[in-house]
């Protein structure tokens, strides 16, 4: 941040001890941090805010995302209730979330911990798009999941769920 007015900045400390000076408006994209600042009083936060569940690499990405979206209008309750779609991801978010699976899942965990709904939605929609139209075997390969069903158990599950198969 280039701002010389330190009252508008807050320091966020990652789980691995790295500190990031962030505009308060950007930090408040996180409902968790916003609540913390309101409870403590923004002017009274003179030390770094520790984020125990977010490492430096992921915190950098979260801050980058929040800086890009800081002027977005807040999500309304109507948007919360409407049917969820996975094909309406903002183009900037689509590009931003073109990361390896491990990083994508770390972003999801961080967005959930920090309560950043927009980032959580975009990241989860990205995962949904990775799954869409795939067979269970293709999903296992995509996400490196071991099939621990015996052939008999797998046949039983398929039989119990025949009703939901597309025909």
């Amino acid at each position: 941040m280039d701002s010389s007015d330190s009252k508008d900045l807050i320091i966020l400390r990652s789980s691995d001890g790295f500190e990031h000076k962030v505009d308060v408006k950007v930090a408040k994209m996180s409902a968790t941090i916003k609540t913390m600042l309101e409870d403590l009083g923004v002017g009274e936060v003179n030390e770094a805010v520790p984020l125990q569940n977010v490492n430096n690499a992921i915190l950098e990405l979260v801050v980058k995302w929040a800086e890009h979206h800081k002027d977005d209008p807040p999500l309304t309750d109507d948007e919360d209730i409407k049917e969820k779609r996975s094909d309406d991801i903002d183009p900037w978010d689509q590009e931003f979330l073109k990361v390896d699976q491990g990083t994508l899942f770390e972003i999801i965990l961080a967005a959930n911990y920090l309560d950043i709904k927009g980032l959580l939605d975009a990241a989860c929609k990205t995962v949904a798009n990775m799954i869409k139209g795939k067979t269970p075997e293709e999903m296992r390969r995509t996400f490196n999941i071991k099939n621990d069903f015996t052939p008999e158990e797998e046949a039983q599950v398929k039989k119990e769920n025949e009703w939901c198969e597309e025909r």
Side-chain angles (χ1 to χ4, degrees):
M1 296 266 102
D2 297 333
S3 175
S4 59
D5 185 2
S6 62
K7 286 197 300 191
D8 294 329
L9 297 178
I10 185 169
I11 299 171
L12 304 178
R13 183 182 301 126
S14 66
S15 61
D16 44 357
F18 290 89
E19 294 186 348
H20 297 266
K21 283 186 181 177
V22 179
D23 185 294
V24 170
K25 182 177 181 179
V26 171
K28 284 185 172 184
M29 298 277 301
S30 160
T32 302
I33 293 172
K34 182 179 182 196
T35 300
M36 192 183 312
L37 293 176
E38 287 169 355
D39 289 349
L40 295 173
V42 178
E44 297 173 32
V45 178
N46 296 323
E47 53 192 67
V49 175
L51 302 174
Q52 298 302 320
N53 295 350
V54 185
N55 69 37
N56 184 54
I58 300 304
L59 183 56
E60 284 180 356
L61 292 172
V62 170
V63 168
K64 181 179 178 181
W65 183 91
E67 285 174 343
H68 179 79
H69 288 282
K70 72 177 182 242
D71 295 320
D72 291 1
L75 296 176
T76 64
D77 288 340
D78 291 345
E79 290 174 282
D80 222 12
I81 305 169
K82 76 177 183 184
E83 183 179 327
K84 298 289 184 185
R85 300 172 47 130
S86 65
D87 60 354
D88 61 348
I89 304 171
D90 175 79
W92 188 92
D93 288 347
Q94 286 179 19
E95 198 58 37
F96 175 77
L97 292 167
K98 284 184 181 172
V99 294
D100 63 87
Q101 275 185 29
T103 301
L104 181 59
F105 289 122
E106 289 283 330
I107 289 170
I108 289 171
L109 291 171
N112 186 52
Y113 169 69
L114 295 169
D115 197 0
I116 304 175
K117 186 172 179 0
L119 178 56
L120 183 61
D121 283 353
C124 287
K125 287 176 181 183
T126 300
V127 172
N129 288 335
M130 293 167 75
I131 294 171
K132 193 183 294 184
K134 289 198 163 106
T135 65
E137 192 51 46
E138 290 169 325
M139 283 186 244
R140 286 188 195 105
R141 277 195 305 273
T142 299
F143 297 108
N144 198 22
I145 299 170
K146 181 181 173 280
N147 182 2
D148 56 359
F149 284 119
T150 65
E152 295 80 23
E153 290 171 327
E154 195 162 346
Q156 180 65 29
V157 169
K158 284 181 180 176
K159 184 175 179 0
E160 290 171 359
N161 294 290
E162 280 178 338
W163 61 272
C164 67
E165 292 291 320
E166 286 185 36
R167 293 179 193 249

